[in-house]
Amino acid sequence: AVEGCKYFTLAVLDITVFLFADNIANPARARLKDDGLNSAHWLSSMGLFAGQFLARYSGADCGPLLRLICCTLRAGSSLDLIVLDHMISSLTGVELIEDISRAQLEASA
């Protein structure tokens, strides 16, 4: 899906980033699944796509997305960190390992 954006102009790249931010900031979208414990799948999908998009098209400005996530953190909502986590993973190619064993930790040292 990211490949389809290769014909976008710089203005359209900026509009796409705005649409990412608009979808993330939409209060009508539930950030938690119906169980109330797990984050909604669309948040991680949005982060993955935004990260791949920003990695592929360096002309797009990630500043608005980062400012939005900072503002939601200041407002007390940490669920948008899921988007940031997936964006960083996509942009850098480094994945976070949450449950690492002692042997894995020693092997990476």
Side-chain angles (χ1 to χ4, degrees):
V2 174
E3 291 294 321
C5 304
K6 65 183 172 184
Y7 300 108
F8 284 7
T9 63
L10 288 177
V12 176
L13 290 175
D14 286 341
I15 291 168
T16 304
V17 172
F18 170 79
L19 292 173
F20 288 148
D22 188 50
N23 277 310
I24 293 169
N26 186 351
R29 296 200 70 175
R31 285 173 164 42
L32 293 175
K33 290 183 180 177
D34 292 334
D35 63 8
L37 298 174
N38 298 309
S39 62
H41 182 68
W42 73 268
L43 272 175
S44 53
S45 296
M46 180 67 75
L48 284 171
F49 187 78
Q52 291 171 356
F53 176 82
L54 293 167
R56 177 86 176 168
Y57 304 104
S58 59
D61 182 17
C62 66
L65 284 175
L66 297 176
R67 279 190 290 282
L68 171 68
I69 292 170
C70 287
C71 288
T72 57
L73 283 172
R74 282 190 208 120
S77 174
S78 62
L79 286 172
D80 290 341
L81 284 176
I82 295 167
V83 175
L84 181 63
D85 175 41
H86 289 292
M87 277 178 53
I88 291 172
S89 294
S90 295
L91 283 167
T92 62
V94 176
E95 292 187 34
L96 175 67
I97 302 174
E98 293 180 15
D99 298 323
I100 188 167
S101 70
R102 183 150 186 91
Q104 289 173 319
L105 184 61
E106 289 173 357
S108 67

